[in-house]
Amino acid sequence: MSEKPARKRLGADERREEIIRVTLELAARQGVDDVTAQDMAQAMGVTQGAVFRHFPSKDAIWLAVMQWVRERLMSVLGRAAAEGRDPLDALQRMFFAHIDFIAGHPAIPRVLMSEHLHGRSTALRKLATEIMLAYEERIAGLLQAAQAQGLARADLDTPAAATLYIGMIQGLVLQTSILRDQRTLAEQAARTFPVFLQAIRQPPSRETTP
Amino acid sequence: MSEKPARKRLGADERREEIIRVTLELAARQGVDDVTAQDMAQAMGVTQGAVFRHFPSKDAIWLAVMQWVRERLMSVLGRAAAEGRDPLDALQRMFFAHIDFIAGHPAIPRVLMSEHLHGRSTALRKLATEIMLAYEERIAGLLQAAQAQGLARADLDTPAAATLYIGMIQGLVLQTSILRDQRTLAEQAARTFPVFLQAIRQPPSRETTP
DNA sequence: GATACAAGATAGTGATCAGTCGCTATCTAA
DNA sequence: TTAGATAGCGACTGATCACTATCTTGTATC
C-alpha cells in the first residue's frame, strides 16, 4: 500500500497547499471528474470530512487548482520570453516552455478538457477565459513586434496567428492525449512548430544568395 | 414539459437509432458524462430499463454514437474533397466542411473531450485513434499531391503539416468551447485557415510582379 | 499546567446512478 | 385464432457521491 502516513495536523495554509497538490496528482491519473474528496483525503492520510474544513466545496478546490496553474505557467512563460533575442525567438521559447510545462504536469490536459470547464457558466470557465485571452493578446503583441522588426510578414493577420498559436498547443494536447500510446506531446510539438513558423516568417529577399 | 410522447413500441433497429439520436442531443446540452440512461429514456418517452434492452451498457451506447459520427463525417469529407479543383482546394473544402459538420453537431466537441476518450484504454479511444490516424494520412496524401503539382512548398514536412491541420481543428474546437460567449467556431476557422495556408503554399516566384 | 481554539475523526444524510429482473402488453406469423 | 417472440414496465439493488453535524484531540499561549 503506497498511502502516505503523512504526519497529520498541518496548519490550514499548508493543508490547502497539499490538497491542491494531491488533487493535481490524482487528476493526472484518474481524470478530473473521477477525483473524489475521499481520494484526496486518502492520499493525504486524513479522513474525507477534513477536506471540507479547508474548502467549502469541490468547485472551490478546482478554482484554487486553476489559479495555482495560472501562476506557475505565467512565471514559466515570462522567464522563457525574457531569454529571447528577438520577438520570434521569444515566441519559440515560450512555445516550448509551455509544452514542457504541460508535459511536466499531466493533470493539465485533463483539466483543460474537464466537464467543469465546458459545462454551464462556472467561475472556473470564466478564469480560463481570462487566461486564454490574456495569453493570446501577449502572443499577438509579440507578432506585431516581429513585424515591426521585419522578422514577420508585413501582411500577417497577427490576431489570427495568435489564435492559431494557442489552437496549435491545445490541439496537440488533445491529440496526444488520445494518441498517447503512439505519440508524445514534445515530439509532435517539435515537428509542427517549424511548419507554423513558415506561416509567420518574412521570406528572405532574393539577393541574400550570392 | 417538452417530452415527446413518442408512440412506443418501436422495432429494435429504430429504437437503437433513436437512442443514438437522443444521446447526441442530450450530450450537446448536458455534456457527455452527465447523460444518464434515465435522461435518454425520458427524451424518448420510455422507462430507463428499456434502454438496456437495446444496449448492454452505456459504454456500448457511446461506441455506437462514435461509429455513427465517423460514418457521417467521412461521408461529408469525401463529398467536400471530390469538389476540389486541385489538392489545396480540396484541403480547404474539407477543412470548412469539417468545421460546418462540427458546428452542426454540438455534441461532437463534448465527445471529443469526454473522460471516456481520455481515460483508461477503452474501445472508444481505440476507435478515435483509428479515425484520427486515417484522417491524418489522408491529409498528408493531399499535401504530397499538392507538392507534386508545385502548389505546396517542396520542403514542406507533409506529415507534420497534417498533424498541424488536425491540431488546428481540435484546438479551435477546444478554444471556442471555452470561449463560447465571445467566439464562434466558424468565425475563428475562417480567420486562421489563411494563416495556415501561408505555411503550405509555394510562394509565387519574383517575376510575377512587374 | 490550564485554557482555548483549530484540525481532524466519526458517523451520518439524502440524492443519484448503472444495471437487473420478473412480469405484461403488443406485434407477427402460421 | 392462437402461440411465440419481444419491447417495454416498474420496482429494486448496491454502490458512490458531496456535504454536514457533532464530538475529540493536538497544540500554542499564558
Side-chain angles (χ1 to χ4, degrees):
Chain A
M1 314 305 173
S2 63
E3 282 90 46
K4 310 172 177 183
R7 66 196 176 295
K8 306 176 185 181
R9 196 103 193 159
L10 294 187
D13 288 347
E14 301 151 65
R15 187 57 84 195
R16 271 181 63 100
E17 275 286 325
E18 191 173 19
I19 289 174
I20 292 173
R21 228 196 53 227
V22 303
T23 299
L24 272 169
E25 268 178 37
L26 290 167
R29 253 182 294 137
Q30 307 171 205
V32 167
D33 300 312
D34 283 3
V35 179
T36 70
Q38 174 63 44
D39 293 334
M40 301 175 187
Q42 189 175 325
M44 296 186 297
V46 299
T47 58
Q48 181 251 22
V51 172
F52 290 99
R53 174 167 302 275
H54 301 281
F55 289 96
S57 66
K58 272 189 71 186
D59 277 352
I61 296 178
W62 286 112
L63 204 57
V65 165
M66 180 71 87
Q67 276 157 347
W68 187 94
V69 168
R70 168 165 69 172
E71 282 163 29
R72 297 291 195 117
L73 175 61
M74 288 311 160
S75 152
V76 164
L77 292 181
R79 242 176 293 135
E83 289 174 358
R85 297 180 309 277
D86 60 60
L88 281 194
D89 189 46
L91 187 80
Q92 177 158 347
R93 284 169 187 273
M94 282 175 79
F95 179 83
F96 288 107
H98 195 150
I99 294 291
D100 279 352
F101 183 77
I102 294 171
H105 297 84
I108 294 180
R110 309 301 280 268
V111 174
L112 203 65
M113 298 180 297
S114 73
E115 193 50 45
H116 287 93
L117 212 46
H118 297 271
R120 288 227 156 273
S121 77
T122 61
L124 198 62
R125 209 183 95 216
K126 205 176 153 196
L127 180 54
T129 298
E130 279 176 34
I131 296 173
M132 282 172 52
L133 291 181
Y135 190 17
E136 196 178 274
E137 213 163 316
R138 185 171 185 171
I139 300 299
L142 270 181
L143 289 171
Q144 276 168 17
Q147 273 180 330
Q149 297 183 27
L151 296 168
R153 299 170 191 280
D155 63 344
L156 181 68
D157 180 350
T158 54
T163 299
L164 179 56
Y165 169 96
I166 292 178
M168 176 168 53
I169 294 177
Q170 293 176 338
L172 290 176
V173 165
L174 207 156
Q175 223 173 108
T176 52
S177 172
I178 294 175
L179 301 180
R180 77 175 85 106
D181 301 327
Q182 17 231 316
R183 308 262 175 99
T184 71
L185 179 59
E187 167 195 307
Q188 295 305 301
R191 292 178 62 243
T192 51
F193 190 77
V195 178
F196 170 75
L197 215 51
Q198 285 275 32
I200 304 302
R201 265 220 167 89
Q202 173 75 348
S205 54
R206 274 296 169 91
E207 39 279 298
T208 52
T209 40
Chain B
M1 316 291 177
S2 64
E3 284 91 45
K4 312 173 178 182
R7 66 196 176 295
K8 304 175 184 180
R9 193 92 194 171
L10 293 186
D13 288 346
E14 300 151 64
R15 186 56 84 194
R16 270 182 63 102
E17 274 287 325
E18 190 172 22
I19 289 174
I20 292 173
R21 229 195 52 226
V22 304
T23 299
L24 273 169
E25 269 179 37
L26 290 168
R29 254 182 293 138
Q30 307 172 205
V32 167
D33 300 312
D34 283 3
V35 178
T36 69
Q38 175 63 46
D39 293 334
M40 300 175 188
Q42 189 174 325
M44 295 187 296
V46 299
T47 60
Q48 180 252 21
V51 172
F52 289 101
R53 175 169 300 275
H54 301 281
F55 289 96
S57 66
K58 273 189 69 186
D59 277 352
I61 297 178
W62 287 112
L63 204 57
V65 165
M66 180 71 88
Q67 277 158 346
W68 187 94
V69 168
R70 169 166 68 172
E71 282 163 29
R72 297 289 195 118
L73 175 61
M74 288 312 161
S75 152
V76 164
L77 292 181
R79 241 176 294 135
E83 289 173 358
R85 294 181 311 278
D86 62 60
L88 281 194
D89 188 46
L91 187 81
Q92 177 158 346
R93 285 169 187 271
M94 281 176 80
F95 180 81
F96 288 107
H98 196 152
I99 295 291
D100 278 354
F101 182 78
I102 294 171
H105 296 84
I108 293 180
R110 311 301 280 268
V111 174
L112 203 65
M113 297 180 298
S114 74
E115 193 50 45
H116 287 92
L117 212 44
H118 298 270
R120 289 225 157 273
S121 77
T122 60
L124 199 62
R125 210 183 94 220
K126 205 177 154 196
L127 180 54
T129 299
E130 280 177 32
I131 296 174
M132 282 173 52
L133 290 181
Y135 191 16
E136 196 178 276
E137 213 163 315
R138 184 171 185 171
I139 299 300
L142 270 182
L143 289 171
Q144 276 169 16
Q147 273 181 330
Q149 298 183 23
L151 297 168
R153 299 171 191 278
D155 64 344
L156 180 68
D157 180 349
T158 53
T163 299
L164 179 56
Y165 169 95
I166 291 179
M168 177 168 52
I169 293 177
Q170 293 176 338
L172 291 177
V173 165
L174 207 157
Q175 226 173 105
T176 51
S177 172
I178 294 174
L179 302 181
R180 76 176 86 107
D181 301 328
Q182 17 231 316
R183 306 263 175 99
T184 70
L185 178 59
E187 167 196 306
Q188 294 305 300
R191 290 179 63 244
T192 51
F193 190 78
V195 178
F196 170 74
L197 215 51
Q198 285 274 33
I200 303 303
R201 266 218 166 88
Q202 174 75 349
S205 52
R206 270 300 166 90
E207 37 279 304
T208 51
T209 39

